[in-house]
Amino acid sequence: SLLYKLMDTPDWTIALEGGLRYVVADSSIDFQRTGEARRENLDVDDSVIAVIGADLERRVSEGAALFLGVGYNVDVVQGEITIPGDTLKDNELHGAFVRLGARVAF
């Protein structure tokens, strides 16, 4: 991601983010068809998403801050969802997000 500090004061920071992320999917899903005894695996491929967002950060002490962020994920390359002998659909990861946390410098 690329980050841009839109506002940077001693106590408050607003940072904008834009970037790409590679998402590793490990579904670990087994299923059994109705009327059959054998179990099969549902497989989900990895994906690539674009991320846009913004964080508001409040410094609470030297080297520590609390932040609240919002943003949106956009599918760039969707991973396929497959079962033996068939492709079901694409794995969609687009959507809004909210993040809340703490940053600590050490």
Side-chain angles (χ1 to χ4, degrees):
S1 287
L2 294 175
L3 300 172
Y4 176 75
K5 284 189 179 180
L6 187 62
M7 182 185 88
D8 192 12
T9 69
D11 292 330
W12 292 93
T13 301
I14 297 175
L16 304 178
E17 175 186 8
L20 292 174
R21 294 196 179 139
Y22 184 82
V23 180
V24 177
D26 182 11
S27 63
S28 300
I29 299 172
D30 291 335
F31 69 95
Q32 184 175 349
R33 296 177 195 261
T34 305
E36 292 185 14
R38 72 184 161 126
R39 298 189 65 76
E40 296 179 300
N41 292 327
L42 182 137
D43 205 16
V44 180
D45 291 338
D46 299 345
S47 304
V48 177
I49 59 172
V51 178
I52 55 172
D55 286 344
L56 174 64
E57 184 176 295
R58 169 75 166 119
R59 183 173 164 219
V60 293
S61 69
E62 185 66 35
L66 299 174
F67 69 88
L68 172 67
V70 296
Y72 197 80
N73 296 328
V74 179
D75 292 308
V76 175
V77 177
Q78 296 177 334
E80 289 184 336
I81 301 174
T82 57
I83 58 175
D86 196 10
T87 299
L88 300 179
K89 62 182 282 182
D90 290 333
N91 186 26
E92 297 178 359
L93 299 175
H94 64 273
F97 64 85
V98 175
R99 55 187 169 208
L100 176 66
R103 297 190 209 282
V104 180
F106 56 92

